[in-house]
Amino acid sequence: MNWLWTTDALIEAMNGRPFGQMPEGVQGISIDTRTLQPGDAFFAIKGETMDGHDFATAAIKAGAHLLVVAEGKLPALGRLRVPMIVVPDVLVAMEKLAESARARTRAKVIAVTGSAGKTTTKEALRHVLGMAGLVHASDKSFNNHWGVPLMLARLPQDTDYAVFEIGMNHPDEIRPLVKMVRPHVAIVTLVAAAHLGFFSDLDEIAAAKAEVFEGVEPDGAALINRDDPRANLLGTRAREAGVEHVLGFGEHQRSTYRLINCVLNADHSTMTARIGRREVVARIGVPGRHMVQNALAVLGAADLVGADIDQVALALGSLPAQQGRGRQHRLAHGDGSFTLIDESYNANPASMKAGLDLLNATPVEGEGRHIAVLGDMLELGDHADELHAQLAELIVDTGISHVLLAGPHMKALAEVLPSHLAVVHRDEADDLARLLMDTVQPGDVVMVKSSKGIGFSRIIETVLEKY
Ligand code: ATP
Ligand code: MG
């Protein structure tokens, strides 16, 4: 049997105590009984609101081979008579397993952090590196104190490339995570006013992102967005952290992975990039200027882990758009159709700009209009209203004629948008969905974007159900 972990290896890695009749091994690691697969080890993690120990029976029913539980819970769980590994603290045990996984792999490891574009870049790396070997990449946005060790613990031994997303909304979050990941390449996609509520300014955010360099392997590389206003600060931090190779990607002249030219089309882009003396031409299968930037980072990281650049460039052409991150739907309406751009996954000032640029760059048909459906950007603290109002600058000089808004902070934008635009504000996302369906006409291009917590994915669902 090809186990992900033998039980012996699990016990040794976590320094745990076996209890009951142990299986030979496990095929996966799970912390959630809803997604648990038969053969998994279930780690009973205690979260803020839930305690995994309460799901022990559900885990066994779902086919868990064994449970990893806290010492203190043994009196209550012992009567279940199922195989368990008992540890002082389950999350710490998962971190130890993560370290073991990292120690036993020979994979080239890439870490991706930044204020936007982490998942997009990580998924693009999964796609392009998949042409060259076996890839293990984080699921979804599993990028925090449990997501990163979980994804590491799931790392199969025979993987060639491993890509981990690392996120944060506070200082000192990335450091311990990247020390587990120990990347050969650490990417910072960009620094922007995300989670500004927890920081005093963008320099502080940049410094928190720069923690990612503190875990880079000897002879490893920092790959920094050279077009970001805080590129120098990040570069300095990378050198201070002892990173051997500090490289940039972007349009900036001093980028190692330098954009020479790009052409943005409705459904894809093409770019010419320079790497040393080489010129690489690539088609990028997902549209948007921000995707060109992400593609440069992908090209750079793939090059740094030794992948074949021509193969990578070719693979960029078949990138799939991710749900909620620029996926386009062409929907029949009356005699024609309209385009719905699903950007509903998340929003902050940087990604709002990316989304509005994408909307603006997507051509309408006939009499069609550009319609922006925007919801609040969360976690911006005292700056929230100001940052929402600033979106007006991005909207006014574009072809966007209709702006449908929801959420308390979007009121600040509604108040400053000029009167020649059709602007409507509603309190609830559901009202906005109805309004959108009354408004949309054949030929239109509609882009829907907001922070996750606002629930704009419901607008997408409602529209997709109707058309
Ligand atoms: P989270 O912190 O929620 O996990 P993330 O960093 O993983 O976010 P993605 O999910 O990749 O970010 O992308 C979210 C949105 O950010 C996309 O829908 C797009 O609008 C925008 N985006 C993606 N890449 C970039 C980029 N390079 N620059 C600016 N915006 C971007
Ligand atoms: Mg993400």
Side-chain angles (χ1 to χ4, degrees):
M1 191 72 198
N2 201 7
W3 304 111
L4 173 66
W5 292 100
T6 62
T7 304
D8 288 347
L10 279 180
I11 291 170
E12 193 190 324
M14 305 189 295
N15 200 10
R17 184 161 59 82
F19 181 92
Q21 186 69 36
M22 283 291 131
E24 201 184 319
V26 299
Q27 272 147 330
I29 304 291
S30 171
I31 63 167
D32 184 339
T33 53
R34 290 166 302 181
T35 49
L36 187 142
Q37 297 295 312
D40 281 358
F42 176 70
F43 280 63
I45 304 270
K46 189 171 173 358
E48 267 165 36
T49 50
M50 308 260 231
D51 185 346
H53 294 92
D54 297 337
F55 296 86
T57 313
I60 294 294
K61 265 200 194 136
H65 265 191
L66 62 85
L67 311 178
V68 180
V69 301
E71 193 76 58
K73 299 285 181 177
L74 194 58
L77 295 177
R79 64 180 163 74
L80 289 179
R81 303 195 163 278
V82 296
M84 291 190 256
I85 298 178
V86 186
V87 295
D89 181 301
V90 180
L91 181 58
V92 172
M94 193 164 76
E95 291 168 359
K96 286 186 178 167
L97 187 60
E99 281 161 10
S100 258
R102 179 64 187 88
R104 74 177 184 174
T105 187
R106 296 171 68 182
K108 286 286 182 186
V109 180
I110 301 171
V112 186
T113 193
S115 302
K118 296 182 291 296
T119 299
T120 313
T121 303
K122 179 253 302 175
E123 289 302 326
L125 280 164
R126 187 205 297 275
H127 179 81
V128 304
L129 293 173
M131 311 281 169
L134 293 177
V135 183
H136 171 78
S138 304
D139 284 352
K140 305 179 188 177
S141 287
F142 284 3
N143 64 24
N144 63 3
H145 66 283
W146 58 260
V148 173
L150 174 65
M151 292 318 305
L152 263 168
R154 286 179 177 172
L155 177 67
Q157 199 163 6
D158 58 355
T159 301
D160 298 305
Y161 303 103
V163 190
F164 296 99
E165 174 168 338
I166 306 186
M168 63 99 195
N169 49 25
H170 288 93
D172 303 323
E173 263 185 272
I174 290 182
R175 186 176 301 110
L177 300 178
V178 76
K179 288 191 172 170
M180 277 181 244
V181 171
R182 289 168 36 213
H184 298 100
V185 181
I187 305 175
V188 179
T189 58
L190 60 110
V191 175
H195 318 293
L196 195 54
F198 304 119
F199 294 90
S200 55
D201 58 25
L202 281 167
D203 284 356
E204 249 187 36
I205 296 182
K209 304 278 179 222
E211 291 171 21
V212 78
F213 304 132
E214 295 177 36
V216 172
E217 285 284 90
D219 203 36
L223 188 54
I224 295 167
N225 180 345
R226 208 68 190 63
D227 302 335
D228 192 285
R230 280 160 192 81
N232 286 338
L233 194 158
L234 290 168
T236 305
R237 290 293 174 117
R239 276 180 286 272
E240 282 169 3
V243 178
E244 199 110 344
H245 308 281
V246 181
L247 307 171
F249 65 91
E251 242 174 298
H252 193 284
Q253 275 197 352
R254 284 169 52 198
S255 308
T256 309
Y257 300 95
R258 184 177 165 204
L259 184 68
I260 304 296
N261 171 40
C262 72
V263 180
L264 306 179
N265 298 297
D267 62 350
H268 74 280
S269 305
T270 52
M271 74 169 176
T272 307
R274 183 166 293 153
I275 307 175
R277 293 217 189 97
R278 288 190 58 182
E279 266 195 13
V280 178
V281 179
R283 176 187 191 279
I284 303 161
V286 181
R289 178 64 179 78
H290 63 287
M291 275 312 297
V292 176
Q293 200 75 11
N294 295 339
L296 277 176
V298 167
L299 206 60
D303 183 42
L304 289 166
V305 295
D308 179 81
I309 283 302
D310 293 323
Q311 199 176 29
V312 171
L314 193 65
L316 286 172
S318 55
L319 278 185
Q322 302 296 314
Q323 187 176 12
R325 302 173 180 88
R327 191 173 285 175
Q328 298 196 9
H329 303 270
R330 183 81 175 221
L331 303 171
H333 185 12
D335 298 339
S337 63
F338 70 99
T339 301
L340 178 68
I341 305 176
D342 177 6
E343 273 280 339
S344 63
Y345 168 70
N346 214 350
N348 62 39
S351 69
M352 255 315 174
K353 177 172 184 333
L356 290 167
D357 285 348
L358 181 62
L359 170 60
N360 201 34
T362 310
V364 297
E365 279 171 10
E367 302 292 297
R369 297 96 27 102
H370 282 108
I371 304 177
V373 183
L374 311 178
D376 276 11
M377 305 179 284
L378 300 178
E379 294 188 1
L380 294 176
D382 295 343
H383 306 268
D385 281 345
E386 183 192 334
L387 288 164
H388 283 77
Q390 279 172 11
L391 296 176
E393 282 171 43
L394 301 176
I395 294 173
V396 172
D397 294 329
T398 65
I400 299 169
S401 56
H402 289 62
V403 188
L404 313 186
L405 305 168
H409 294 302
M410 279 299 175
K411 267 201 186 119
L413 175 60
E415 280 163 14
V416 295
L417 282 169
S419 56
H420 70 269
L421 299 177
V423 180
V424 193
H425 181 275
R426 292 280 184 273
D427 290 328
E428 302 292 334
D430 294 333
D431 293 341
L432 215 55
R434 273 188 291 277
L435 185 70
L436 171 61
M437 291 189 288
D438 290 341
T439 309
V440 72
Q441 291 174 7
D444 288 349
V445 181
V446 181
M447 193 270 299
V448 176
K449 190 163 185 70
S450 80
S451 273
K452 263 179 285 214
I454 306 294
F456 268 30
S457 53
R458 280 208 311 281
I459 299 185
I460 299 289
E461 282 161 23
T462 311
V463 174
L464 291 180
E465 262 166 36
K466 171 158 177 195
Y467 294 96

